[in-house]
């Protein structure tokens, strides 16, 4: 079992720093597997939301070695670009298909159809699926600009009545997708995406936030220490006593643990 080298509370949020990215991913995978097993033991099924992107590679790889009753799991994902098809190299549906559905074979995967003819109708369809039964675990990350899912700075609504909506991506989020190699340039990144809202993310029984890499260090520091506000959407995690932030030394590089311990 992976053990953190440092851990502290930031408000209600548990923060755990691991010795490396692989150790961080292993710890998050162990926690996710335990939550899923417990849900299946209690109710006969589990409902899990998975993030996509480079920050989730270590976590998903570590899931391969975990004892997970995948035949009882219904999987969802956080977001999808509007207007691209499921086979586009940057499609989050493709990411989930290749890294969750094909290797693990969950009982069901509910995909956000980004190329649906009516994006607003697709939001409502996905929202109905999310509302059908409680979510057991959300596995997510933090964006370079502090977004969670695609809930962007200054636009995120912490009290949103919707569970899924169309979001306009900020230039920073579009640049991150280019920097990670998913698109050739900013112009190629779709302007909008369908995203789970902040209340949808926090509605799960457990929220596991896997955020490695030096590129995320400033966003992590802001999430832990800045005023809780939509200016940095990830700050809302400090209100969530059922959330854990998993870091590696690089993503924790700008943290003052003493300040973090006192953050609220």
């Amino acid at each position: 079992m992976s053990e953190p080298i440092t851990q502290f509370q930031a408000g209600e949020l548990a923060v755990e720093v691991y010795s490396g990215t692989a150790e961080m991913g292993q710890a998050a995978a162990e926690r996710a597997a335990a939550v899923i097993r417990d849900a299946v033991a209690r109710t006969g099924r589990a409902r899990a939301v998975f993030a996509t992107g480079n920050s989730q590679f270590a976590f998903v790889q570590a899931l391969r070695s975990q004892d997970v009753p995948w035949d009882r799991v219904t999987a969802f994902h956080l977001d999808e670009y509007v207007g691209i098809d499921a086979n586009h190299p940057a499609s989050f549906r493709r990411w989930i298909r290749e890294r969750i559905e094909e290797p693990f074979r969950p009982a069901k995967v509910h995909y956000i159809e980004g190329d649906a003819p009516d994006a607003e109708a697709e939001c409502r369809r996905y929202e109905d699926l999310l509302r059908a039964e409680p979510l057991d675990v959300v596995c997510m990350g933090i964006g370079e600009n502090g977004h969670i899912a695609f809930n962007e700075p200054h636009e995120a609504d912490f009290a949103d009545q919707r569970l899924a909506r169309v979001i306009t991506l900020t230039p920073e989020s579009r640049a991150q997708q280019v920097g990670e190699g998913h698109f050739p340039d900013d112009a190629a990144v779709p302007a909008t995406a369908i995203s789970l809202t902040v209340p949808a993310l926090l509605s799960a029984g457990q929220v596991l936030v896997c955020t490695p890499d030096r590129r995320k260090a400033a966003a992590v520091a802001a999430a832990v220490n800045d005023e809780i506000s939509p200016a940095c959407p990830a700050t809302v995690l400090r209100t969530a006593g059922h959330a854990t932030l998993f870091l590696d030394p690089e993503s924790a590089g700008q943290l003052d643990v003493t300040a973090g311990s006192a953050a609220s």
Side-chain angles (χ1 to χ4, degrees):
M1 179 176 291
S2 295
E3 296 292 338
I5 56 173
T6 302
Q7 56 186 326
F8 60 92
Q9 290 291 128
E12 297 299 313
L13 174 68
V15 182
E16 301 180 359
V17 183
Y18 289 83
S19 59
T21 305
E23 291 79 7
M24 177 214 67
Q26 180 71 24
E30 289 169 358
R31 205 77 52 86
V35 172
I36 291 170
R37 289 194 302 270
D38 178 67
V40 170
R42 286 184 294 104
T43 67
R45 61 98 185 110
R47 285 160 56 91
V49 180
F50 295 97
T52 60
N54 296 7
S55 67
Q56 303 303 302
F57 286 159
F59 164 66
V60 171
Q61 180 64 32
L63 271 179
R64 292 174 178 266
S65 64
Q66 296 301 305
D67 177 19
V68 177
W70 289 106
D71 62 338
R72 302 293 186 89
V73 175
T74 297
F76 299 82
H77 59 124
L78 290 185
D79 40 32
E80 179 59 288
Y81 298 110
V82 170
I84 65 174
D85 65 58
N87 292 314
H88 188 287
S91 166
F92 297 138
R93 279 172 287 173
R94 179 173 179 171
W95 199 104
I96 292 289
R97 185 177 74 243
E98 293 178 348
R99 294 178 172 86
I100 300 293
E101 183 174 25
E102 291 175 354
F104 300 134
R105 298 295 178 186
K108 181 69 177 177
V109 181
H110 289 302
Y111 288 104
I112 300 172
E113 305 293 340
D115 53 351
D118 184 337
E120 291 294 342
E122 177 62 9
C123 288
R124 293 191 294 273
R125 182 191 73 83
Y126 211 70
E127 185 168 11
D128 287 344
L129 293 170
L130 291 167
R131 289 190 188 278
E133 294 183 80
L135 295 173
D136 296 294
V137 63
V138 167
C139 306
M140 55 180 273
I142 297 174
E144 291 179 28
N145 66 351
H147 72 222
I148 49 177
F150 267 134
N151 296 284
E152 299 283 32
H154 305 288
E155 299 297 328
D157 182 354
F158 293 173
D160 203 323
Q161 297 301 301
R162 298 288 305 276
L163 297 185
R165 66 168 57 252
V166 176
I167 302 288
T168 298
L169 275 61
T170 62
E172 293 81 6
S173 286
R174 296 172 78 176
Q176 178 180 330
Q177 301 306 313
V178 175
E180 292 183 354
H182 305 304
F183 294 94
D185 52 48
D186 288 2
V189 183
T192 57
I194 294 172
S195 175
L196 270 60
T197 62
V198 172
L201 300 176
L202 298 187
S203 72
Q206 291 290 316
V207 180
L208 309 180
V209 189
C210 239
T211 310
D213 202 311
R214 182 177 286 109
R215 293 180 299 110
K216 304 294 182 73
V220 165
V224 169
N225 293 311
D226 285 4
E227 177 185 1
I228 297 173
S229 85
C232 176
T235 57
V236 76
L237 295 169
R238 301 210 309 275
T239 70
H242 59 306
T244 304
L245 177 58
F246 296 85
L247 305 174
D248 66 5
E250 291 193 340
S251 60
Q254 295 184 30
L255 285 180
D256 179 335
V257 172
T258 302
S261 300
S264 61

